[in-house]
Amino acid sequence: MSGLARVIPLITEVTPETGPAVVHTPTRFRQPLSKYRVVRDNQRCSRCGRCVEVCPYGVHSWAGSYLRPPQSYRCIGFKCQEQPFYCVAQCPEQALSLELDPNYGTLGDRRWTNDLLLSTWWMAEWGNLPQGDLEYRIGDSGGGFDKLRFLFPTQPRDFKLSHAEISLDLELNRRADGRPQVRLSVPFYGGGMSFGSVSLNTMLARAEAAARWNTLTCTGEGGYPEALTAYDDYMITQVATGLFGVREETIQRVRVVEFKYAQGAKPGLGGHLLGEKVTAAVARMRESVPGHSLFSPFPFHSVYSVEDHKKHVDWIKEINPHALIAVKVSTPTDVDMVAVGSYYAGAHIIHLDGSYGGTGAAPDIAKKNIAMPIEYAIPKVHQFLRNEGIRDRVTLIASGGLRTAFDVAKAIALGADGVVTGTSEMVALDCTRCNSCEGGRGCPRGIATTYPELSETLPVSYGANRISNMYHAWVWQLKEILRRLGLQSIRELVGRTDFLVHLDYYDLPVEDDLRRGA
Amino acid sequence: MPLKYHIPIKSVPSRFYPVPKNILLESEENCLHCARCVKELCPYDAYGQRYIDPISGFDTINNLCKDCFRCVQGCIQGTISKVPNPEYQDLGDSYWTPQIISTTWYQAETGRIPVSGAGYGGPFRGPGFDAIWTDMSEIVRPTRDGIHGREYISTTISLGRKPLFLSLDEQGQMAMPTFPRLELPLPVLLSQPMLATDKPAVRLAIIKAARVLGTVVLLPRDQLPGNWLDQALYLVPQYPARALDLDDPCLGQVQAVELDDYPEVTTAIERLKGRYPEVIVSIKLAADAGLASRCEVLAGAGAEVLHISADDHAQGQGAAQDQHLKDLIRQVHLHLVETALRDGVTLIASGGVALAEHVAKAIICGVDGVAVDLPLMIALECRLCHRCLQGQSCPVDLEHLDPERGAQRLINLMGAWNNQLLEVLGAMGIREVRRLRGEIGRAMFFEELERETFAPLFALGTGQESTERRDS
């Protein structure tokens, strides 16, 4: 059980400037995947070390007297040709060549492009923005977030603003109902992934990263493993339709309890854990039988009205008088009504989960077709709550297909208070989005699996570092976006669509790359 | 409660290996012959199960590999890589994409709903059906759990004319003529694809499948099999314009026939119904300009089924070729509703119905059911290479298809489609597919969402040229 070693949570005060330190964490797989490939012809190479001297990005390096194979993923690519330090031109023996990596074309899809995967892996390793030309802001879906751009003022509004002065804090209790405040240091927290769908190591890694950043992560619907006790203050536990692993004790452990009415991966459908993933440990946690598929019904058969819903919320409030209540819903045509109803039922947090996201296994037809993309739902609900006069009394959280720090900022500018992230954390843990999470033993990369020989390839501290590093890069980007807009707090960005342009309605060139003009 | 409709699924492995999406390249060069090669560590044992066909040289590794990249990343020397398969990328065309073809193969083989993790990876939206999202229910409206069989959702539709009201005599007996009706347990008719012409085994497979599914096959009169009499209940012979012969022996045996539309078709309907009142007459109309008013004329003249036929890419025909089937359906449906004719007539649509979601979306736009053609070919492993049309050999040897196995693959595909339809209906909380018809309030259209949500936020104050693009 070496992979399950308990990590003492590192609960330090998050410093406003930098947050927890970046811990350099290269991928646990031997060769990092890469966009470019630098090839060294060993027959020609005279091992003169010229390449090591010239390359400022560390592609070439010595290990004692041994010249390591080039670390291509550090290479900035063809645009290096113009540089004086271009190793291919500098090599006296013409032993070096540069090409597109053949695997590059196989990676990724329209939403998570190969560039987005590679740049997220970069952030997870280094905690900063990728060098070179990797696109780290948007995918290639041709709509929604991928058509929105930030319009930064050409003259920064306030040159003097430093990252240290910018706040990303998010307060979750806006009801003033006497329940405790939960203040997060970042405007995002982790989405629900159940024990069974992901390994305990994955859960622990997410919890540790959440604790480091003073934010939250969610157990999903599959029970609340005892191993997470140390992280209780950083956990949300979920009450979903199957009530798997839900007990009074689990509800009393946390500061936030989440009702899951629906999820973006399969709006309108119940959860489904295939029998192959129901190992003895999973079955024990869920009080079921190993090897048998588990279905969560849809919907809650005890909730068919806002009044029923209120009864549910009251029940949880009664069991845990200190907890805040989050309600996770998907995005039907009347999502605005659902949100208002949830508020009047007593929820502190309304979490909209749009149709394109989710990490869980789901029918392809549901992922693609059912419910509206989150980009439409956020402004719709934001406006409706404002007109209703209750926007200030509820926390609006968005999720479902948010991949990057730019997506986070855009969601907030569209009207959300904060966001929930899921898939990007999986990518930070080396997910390649091969989509094989659901069947057999699950994830070949040891993330979404409960088989020990696979899950133990992902040590907890490694995973925590990778997620924390990615958060680090996100926090820097969010603060840099705010700095360029002249805003001191993420709160000032909420609903500021005037900072955004949509390429369907805007013909002038827009450049919001933070690597330029910093 | 009616007996639950059940489609008997049985796995039928493909006769030929499906075209894999990516290819594994291995290079011997630089191989260090490590004591423990990374290939032995494959989590799926793909290298262990691999088989290389000695004659064709086909390597199954690409069908076994799940693209996890562990061996690619694990090899010290970088001798392994994965590259996109050009053969896969060339499958089909711009509409019948490689993804549609491969998901159809999967469903035909297994009968299962395609399921995957890690969210959706496709474009934000596409043209046509891909610009529609369907609704779901939560909290304030009940959903129905149809897929796991705990709540019954009916997918039955009926073909034929429906009386708009009942009239009873003094004894309370029906005082009106009754019309023949044909009930189908799923809203899908099979239509013999043009590519199946002169492929008797394919035709046989389609008819066998229709029989098991309880639906019917639309096929040209001259393509009826020799033993058509045994299958007559499942056949709907189609007649080109003016080609109907009232002495055709079929007419007394089949439940429905289909006539191509032509100016005097109403006279043909009258004569046909005069002699064979129990036969349901469907009129097949090219989805051309003037479709809606033509439908009004035909519905008013007593046509029982109107079949709107788009091209293979779900586009209209002739002057309407820039219009998508979904929009043409909406126009016809709405026009018939406005002229108070809609409830009397059955509408079906065909052309470019490629995925289960297209069935649901076409019904939302206003048809009662759809006729499906090309996916039947794809289910039989067709690669849409169209070599047969040029007299060349078929890469999947469809001439020697075993009709029994072929039929099961078609049944599997329809089983998977019907279950996906149940998922969509269940999510909306709709308990029968007939209630989905024309329910555009339970769908979200891209153009409308853009107009309502983004246009007010982003189309203002950005100059004249930008506002004009709002509707483009």
Side-chain angles (χ1 to χ4, degrees):
Chain A
M1 295 293 275
S2 60
L4 298 182
R6 182 76 68 79
V7 176
I8 308 300
L10 184 82
I11 305 169
T12 50
E13 192 64 30
V14 179
T15 58
E17 300 95 88
T18 55
V22 171
V23 187
H24 178 234
T25 313
T27 174
R28 61 203 147 108
F29 301 101
R30 187 185 287 271
Q31 312 266 19
L33 290 161
S34 174
K35 181 167 184 174
Y36 301 102
R37 183 147 84 177
V38 181
V39 184
R40 185 187 291 129
D41 183 345
N42 286 324
Q43 321 252 268
R44 284 180 170 233
C45 175
S46 64
R47 299 173 59 249
C48 69
R50 178 79 186 135
C51 51
V52 183
E53 282 165 34
V54 295
C55 179
Y57 296 103
V59 174
H60 308 279
S61 59
W62 292 105
S65 62
Y66 168 73
L67 193 56
R68 283 200 193 93
Q71 285 192 286
S72 299
Y73 81 110
R74 295 177 172 222
C75 176
I76 61 168
F78 298 119
K79 76 168 192 178
C80 188
Q81 285 167 344
E82 303 147 17
Q83 301 294 340
F85 45 74
Y86 183 48
C87 64
V88 175
Q90 290 290 322
C91 176
E93 311 293 338
Q94 280 95 52
L96 293 171
S97 58
L98 174 64
E99 61 191 30
L100 209 57
D101 190 289
N103 297 297
Y104 176 68
T106 324
L107 282 172
D109 51 51
R110 294 284 299 273
R111 288 195 70 80
W112 272 93
T113 57
N114 35 22
D115 270 25
L116 269 193
L117 290 172
L118 291 165
S119 46
T120 305
W121 290 328
W122 180 277
M123 292 177 206
E125 174 172 352
W126 300 97
N128 57 18
L129 290 186
Q131 301 145 346
D133 60 352
L134 286 181
E135 174 56 73
Y136 63 96
R137 296 160 292 170
I138 51 167
D140 182 32
S141 75
F145 291 129
D146 292 345
K147 276 207 167 175
L148 293 170
R149 298 285 184 279
F150 274 102
L151 201 59
F152 293 128
T154 40
Q155 292 293 315
R157 296 183 183 201
D158 188 348
F159 283 111
K160 297 190 199 83
L161 207 56
S162 77
H163 282 200
E165 295 163 311
I166 296 173
S167 161
L168 298 180
D169 286 8
L170 173 64
E171 290 188 343
L172 296 178
N173 185 0
R174 308 175 81 195
R175 285 191 85 96
D177 60 351
R179 287 186 175 243
Q181 185 54 267
V182 174
R183 178 190 283 263
L184 309 183
S185 299
V186 289
F188 48 80
Y189 60 83
M193 291 180 215
S194 65
F195 176 60
S197 74
V198 296
S199 71
L200 186 58
N201 279 18
T202 303
M203 295 183 91
L204 284 164
R206 299 181 74 215
E208 165 68 16
R212 286 188 201 173
W213 284 93
N214 181 33
T215 183
L216 300 161
T217 194
C218 179
T219 60
E221 183 200 22
Y224 194 158
E226 283 304 315
L228 287 163
T229 305
Y231 299 101
D232 280 352
D233 279 351
Y234 303 96
M235 297 303 298
I236 298 173
T237 195
Q238 206 173 59
V239 179
T241 52
L243 299 174
F244 288 119
V246 175
R247 304 207 193 109
E248 292 199 355
E249 308 86 79
T250 63
I251 290 169
Q252 285 159 349
R253 278 166 70 175
V254 293
R255 294 195 289 165
V256 180
V257 180
E258 175 176 284
F259 271 106
K260 188 190 81 177
Y261 281 95
Q263 64 189 102
K266 40 197 162 194
L269 312 179
H272 184 183
L273 190 66
L274 290 179
E276 293 143 312
K277 284 182 89 170
V278 184
T279 58
V282 173
R284 202 159 44 244
M285 183 68 65
R286 297 192 181 213
E287 299 175 59
S288 69
V289 182
H292 281 258
S293 294
L294 296 177
F295 299 96
S296 297
F298 194 91
F300 276 110
H301 284 302
S302 46
V303 177
Y304 286 116
S305 66
V306 173
E307 290 72 24
D308 292 347
H309 171 43
K310 180 170 188 313
K311 179 190 67 190
H312 256 198
V313 172
D314 288 346
W315 162 51
I316 296 293
K317 283 184 170 174
E318 190 64 33
I319 293 173
N320 185 342
H322 306 291
L324 303 186
I325 309 296
V327 174
K328 177 177 177 180
V329 293
S330 198
T331 51
T333 48
D334 56 353
V335 58
D336 36 10
M337 300 302 296
V338 171
V340 169
S342 296
Y343 168 77
Y344 285 116
H348 299 87
I349 301 164
I350 293 165
H351 171 183
L352 308 175
D353 196 18
S355 63
Y356 284 157
T359 52
D364 290 349
I365 189 171
K367 293 197 289 190
K368 179 181 170 193
N369 299 291
I370 304 180
M372 73 170 95
I374 193 67
E375 291 92 327
Y376 298 124
I378 300 169
K380 195 174 157 98
V381 171
H382 174 67
Q383 290 296 341
F384 198 85
L385 293 175
R386 257 186 24 189
N387 297 342
E388 192 79 358
I390 54 172
R391 181 65 188 88
D392 293 339
R393 280 181 272 156
V394 65
T395 305
L396 183 62
I397 298 290
S399 68
L402 288 98
R403 305 147 296 181
T404 65
F406 271 76
D407 287 351
V408 176
K410 288 170 188 172
I412 292 172
L414 284 172
D417 292 305
V419 309
V420 159
T421 163
T423 305
S424 44
E425 293 178 3
M426 299 295 98
V427 173
L429 299 178
D430 300 296
C431 168
T432 55
R433 288 175 54 74
C434 70
N435 301 110
S436 317
C437 329
E438 78 294 353
R441 310 189 306 168
C443 177
R445 297 173 79 91
I447 308 162
T449 179
T450 40
Y451 276 76
E453 72 267 31
L454 287 171
S455 64
E456 282 173 17
T457 62
L458 175 64
V460 175
S461 56
Y462 168 90
N465 288 342
R466 298 268 298 184
I467 295 173
S468 173
N469 289 348
M470 183 189 76
Y471 283 179
H472 205 281
W474 280 23
V475 163
W476 186 87
Q477 290 173 76
L478 290 171
K479 289 192 170 182
E480 183 61 15
I481 289 169
L482 293 175
R483 190 186 73 80
R484 294 193 184 198
L485 296 172
L487 303 178
Q488 267 197 307
S489 160
I490 194 85
R491 304 291 320 139
E492 296 169 39
L493 185 63
V494 177
R496 293 295 300 272
T497 49
D498 54 318
F499 289 134
L500 292 172
V501 290
H502 191 292
L503 297 188
D504 280 355
Y505 308 100
Y506 193 81
D507 297 331
L508 302 170
V510 204
E511 175 61 85
D512 59 9
D513 191 346
L514 300 178
R515 293 176 294 202
R516 299 209 177 83
Chain B
M1 191 171 90
L3 199 64
K4 197 177 167 210
Y5 179 50
H6 174 72
I7 297 178
I9 300 297
K10 205 173 98 195
S11 171
V12 184
S14 55
R15 296 154 71 218
F16 295 84
Y17 288 107
V19 182
K21 189 174 175 200
N22 298 313
I23 299 178
L24 186 92
L25 297 180
E26 298 157 279
S27 140
E28 287 293 309
E29 200 183 350
N30 293 333
C31 173
L32 296 176
H33 300 282
C34 298
R36 186 97 199 258
C37 176
V38 287
K39 297 176 185 175
E40 295 168 33
L41 301 175
C42 173
Y44 292 101
D45 192 28
Y47 289 94
Q49 298 171 46
R50 172 186 205 173
Y51 170 75
I52 300 176
D53 190 281
I55 298 164
S56 68
F58 190 90
D59 186 348
T60 63
I61 189 84
N62 298 313
N63 299 87
L64 296 163
C65 176
K66 303 250 191 190
D67 292 336
C68 77
F69 289 91
R70 281 190 59 168
C71 59
V72 172
Q73 288 188 266
C75 176
I76 299 178
Q77 293 295 93
T79 63
I80 308 169
S81 23
K82 296 264 341 187
V83 296
N85 180 5
E87 197 192 342
Y88 178 84
Q89 293 171 326
D90 284 348
L91 280 174
D93 56 35
S94 61
Y95 186 89
W96 297 89
T97 58
Q99 290 82 359
I100 289 180
I101 294 175
S102 56
T103 189
T104 306
W105 286 340
Y106 170 81
Q107 293 172 62
E109 175 163 341
T110 62
R112 291 158 73 169
I113 299 178
V115 169
S116 60
Y120 175 62
F124 184 78
R125 61 108 188 185
F129 290 123
D130 286 350
I132 304 175
W133 293 279
T134 64
D135 198 16
M136 46 94 55
S137 299
E138 55 194 356
I139 303 181
V140 289
R141 282 185 305 226
T143 55
R144 285 183 86 77
D145 187 3
I147 191 67
H148 303 306
R150 288 177 284 216
E151 289 171 295
Y152 185 73
I153 295 177
S154 164
T155 53
T156 301
I157 59 164
S158 57
L159 302 185
R161 197 157 185 85
K162 292 160 203 81
L164 295 177
F165 50 85
L166 286 177
S167 54
L168 304 174
D169 62 19
E170 283 154 14
Q171 281 78 45
Q173 301 298 309
M174 291 277 275
M176 56 190 295
T178 54
F179 303 104
R181 276 181 6 161
L182 174 54
E183 289 233 321
L184 305 182
L186 77 171
V188 181
L189 295 80
L190 310 186
S191 174
Q192 175 174 298
M194 200 263 291
L195 283 173
T197 311
D198 303 323
K199 293 191 180 70
V202 173
R203 183 163 59 227
L204 219 54
I206 297 176
I207 296 172
K208 277 176 188 289
R211 195 173 187 144
V212 174
L213 293 166
T215 185
V216 291
V217 185
L218 304 168
L219 79 178
R221 169 66 184 93
D222 61 12
Q223 293 274 310
L224 286 193
N227 61 343
W228 61 266
L229 193 55
D230 304 337
Q231 336 272 356
L233 287 179
Y234 307 99
L235 299 175
V236 178
Q238 298 168 305
Y239 296 85
R242 303 181 183 83
L244 180 67
D245 170 10
L246 284 183
D247 293 325
D248 187 334
C250 272
L251 298 175
Q253 305 294 329
V254 296
Q255 301 191 79
V257 298
E258 183 162 282
L259 311 180
D260 277 354
D261 185 32
Y262 62 99
E264 307 84 36
V265 76
T266 46
T267 344
I269 300 174
E270 264 171 47
R271 287 171 47 225
L272 180 60
K273 294 294 285 187
R275 182 148 158 203
Y276 304 98
E278 287 308 306
V279 170
I280 296 168
V281 184
S282 166
I283 307 297
K284 186 175 181 183
L285 304 96
D288 204 338
L291 176 70
S293 48
R294 182 65 185 157
C295 285
E296 181 193 347
V297 170
L298 293 172
E304 297 164 287
V305 179
L306 298 175
H307 174 177
I308 303 168
S309 153
D311 73 7
D312 281 347
H313 290 194
Q315 291 299 124
Q317 312 211 22
Q321 65 184 357
D322 291 337
Q323 286 185 280
H324 190 269
L325 179 60
K326 74 173 186 348
D327 301 312
L328 293 161
I329 293 173
R330 284 181 75 175
Q331 289 162 21
V332 171
H333 173 73
L334 206 62
H335 189 70
L336 293 179
V337 169
E338 282 164 0
T339 49
L341 290 163
R342 180 64 187 93
D343 281 336
V345 69
T346 308
L347 271 186
I348 58 174
S350 70
V353 177
L355 294 165
E357 68 219 43
H358 296 175
V359 180
K361 290 175 178 177
I363 294 173
I364 286 174
C365 288
V367 291
D368 295 278
V370 298
V372 60
D373 42 32
L374 272 183
L376 305 178
M377 288 306 286
I378 301 171
L380 301 174
E381 299 177 51
C382 174
R383 294 173 180 189
L384 299 186
C385 63
H386 297 114
R387 284 167 56 97
C388 52
L389 297 183
Q390 288 139 28
Q392 293 172 313
S393 66
C394 175
V396 292
D397 192 24
L398 279 179
E399 285 93 275
H400 297 102
L401 173 77
D402 170 6
E404 207 63 56
R405 288 169 65 85
Q408 185 60 50
R409 282 183 71 97
L410 299 178
I411 293 163
N412 289 349
L413 178 67
M414 287 302 121
W417 276 28
N418 213 51
N419 277 339
Q420 289 171 82
L421 182 61
L422 290 180
E423 296 272 35
V424 172
L425 290 167
M428 279 192 259
I430 287 183
R431 63 175 68 193
E432 50 178 324
V433 75
R434 286 184 288 201
R435 292 196 186 178
L436 188 63
R437 188 190 81 189
E439 275 283 1
I440 53 168
R442 302 308 304 278
M444 294 163 266
F445 293 84
F446 167 75
E447 296 81 4
E448 286 168 21
L449 284 174
E450 284 282 313
R451 197 164 49 236
E452 289 165 11
T453 315
F454 281 171
L457 295 177
F458 299 114
L460 301 172
T462 52
Q464 207 60 41
E465 78 286 354
S466 298
T467 37
E468 280 167 17
R469 294 181 50 186
R470 203 183 292 186
D471 297 320
S472 63

